[in-house]
Amino acid sequence: VPDVSIAGLVGSTPRREYRLRAAWDFHDDWSLDAFLHHRDRLSGLNIPAYTGLDLHLGWRPRHDVEIELVAQNLLDPQHPETAAMFLGGPVTEIARSYYLRLTYRR
């Protein structure tokens, strides 16, 4: 069971964390969103600081259809993270990823 006291949290939470979001609807049916985030190192878990960038490009050719291209973690091929909801959770490598999504709304 992880130590959830204040002393037990030292080194397992970031000292600084920054997030910046930007959204731009550059045409009636096109949008571009960017999410830049930085997290300080977690010395107690031996996880270095990292900066991430996620991009989302969306197109609505009709009112009920949206096509999206999403790219996540563009600045590094992969980086270690902990499970944010669990203190003492496992450290995993988060890889760069891309996906295309088609949404149809009735």
Side-chain angles (χ1 to χ4, degrees):
V1 177
D3 179 1
V4 294
S5 67
I6 296 299
L9 294 176
V10 172
S12 64
T13 57
R15 183 170 177 86
R16 290 176 208 85
E17 189 170 2
Y18 304 101
R19 297 173 185 212
L20 177 65
R21 288 189 185 270
W24 180 32
D25 293 334
F26 58 92
H27 195 272
D28 290 342
D29 51 358
W30 285 90
S31 64
L32 178 65
D33 304 308
F35 177 48
L36 182 69
H37 50 100
H38 174 80
R39 178 177 285 171
D40 270 354
R41 70 186 189 95
L42 304 179
S43 59
L45 301 172
N46 199 25
I47 296 178
Y50 70 89
T51 301
L53 175 65
D54 302 342
L55 296 176
H56 166 269
L57 179 65
W59 177 46
R60 288 184 169 248
R62 300 179 355 186
H63 75 282
D64 57 350
V65 174
E66 184 172 15
I67 301 170
E68 301 165 280
L69 176 60
V70 179
Q72 297 176 312
N73 299 310
L74 289 173
L75 302 181
D76 288 315
Q78 62 188 32
H79 66 271
E81 276 189 21
T82 62
M85 296 175 9
F86 303 104
L87 294 175
V91 175
T92 58
E93 290 285 328
I94 307 299
R96 180 181 296 148
S97 62
Y98 308 92
Y99 63 91
L100 184 65
R101 177 171 46 198
L102 172 67
T103 305
Y104 172 72
R105 294 180 179 86
R106 296 176 88 189

